[in-house]
Amino acid sequence: TDEATLEVVVSVLAGLVNKRLVGQLQALGGPAVGLSGADGGMLQCVIADEKLELVGDIVAVDPGALVRVLLAGAIPVIAPVGLLFKGAQPTAQLLNINADTAAGAIAAALRARWLAFLTDVPGVKSDGEVLPALPPARAGELIAAGVIEGGMIPKVEACLGAASTGSMSVILDGRVEHSLLRLIGGVASGTIVG
């Protein structure tokens, strides 16, 4: 992510997309508030890799601004944009962050009851079958073997991080109507990670 690309990322994710999601939630009766990981210094980052330029790795989460939104009864919509920190001090540099990684870090910081990823697959698969549960050791084996690959890796890693703080972490098929409500209601689907 170079500087020009970062401008587009911030404009689209923290601006247009964030506000469209907030608007849609408001239209459905949900009191929504748009935030980015830069707001309140929520997502504190370092440069992930100099070759990737302005891509951040999260080193700390300050959930203060988010907690205030939650305590006000609003639905937060958070764009995956963080701040570059030098030691404990924020800089003005915004960084692009993987959205799955950001969600996991925020869930872990809040000790959220649930972290759910709604995807376009029914869950984590091995040998063509959806795994109903994926413990940490097995997740590591499947990542090392290339069974879990691509965009599923940050989802699984985010789930493992959140699960380590007590979150019920799951990867669900978002194409299935009411899959999240069914899960919360006790009907298992997808892959529970952790």
Side-chain angles (χ1 to χ4, degrees):
T1 303
D2 60 17
E3 193 66 52
T5 304
L6 183 67
E7 284 189 25
V8 173
V9 166
V10 173
S11 296
V12 171
L13 296 182
L16 185 62
V17 171
N18 187 280
K19 298 313 169 203
R20 281 189 177 161
L21 289 171
V22 166
Q24 289 171 351
L25 288 166
Q26 291 284 149
L28 293 169
V33 173
L35 298 169
S36 81
D39 295 329
M42 185 186 327
L43 298 179
Q44 302 173 12
C45 304
V46 295
I47 298 290
D49 182 335
E50 293 296 333
K51 293 180 210 158
L52 298 176
E53 297 186 44
L54 299 174
V55 173
D57 269 344
I58 300 167
V59 293
V61 177
D62 180 347
L66 177 58
V67 168
R68 288 188 289 282
V69 168
L70 292 168
L71 289 174
I75 301 165
V77 179
I78 305 168
V81 174
L83 278 179
L84 175 64
F85 269 65
K86 299 279 183 164
Q89 294 300 313
T91 70
Q93 181 62 60
L94 299 173
L95 296 173
N96 186 10
I97 303 168
N98 178 286
D100 298 330
T101 303
I106 291 167
L110 291 175
R111 297 188 181 278
R113 282 191 7 195
W114 288 91
L115 171 63
F117 287 106
L118 299 174
T119 69
D120 61 354
V121 296
V124 178
K125 289 185 175 183
S126 178
D127 297 324
E129 298 291 322
V130 175
L131 301 172
L134 183 60
R138 182 78 174 128
E141 291 169 3
L142 293 176
I143 290 170
V147 174
I148 297 174
E149 61 183 356
M152 189 59 74
I153 293 173
K155 286 176 182 55
V156 169
E157 289 175 342
C159 284
L160 290 170
S164 73
T165 66
S167 293
M168 176 65 70
S169 298
V170 63
I171 298 171
L172 294 171
D173 192 338
R175 303 168 298 179
V176 175
E177 190 171 332
H178 304 300
S179 60
L180 185 57
L181 288 174
R182 287 185 190 140
L183 177 75
I184 292 170
V187 179
S189 66
T191 303
I192 296 174
V193 182

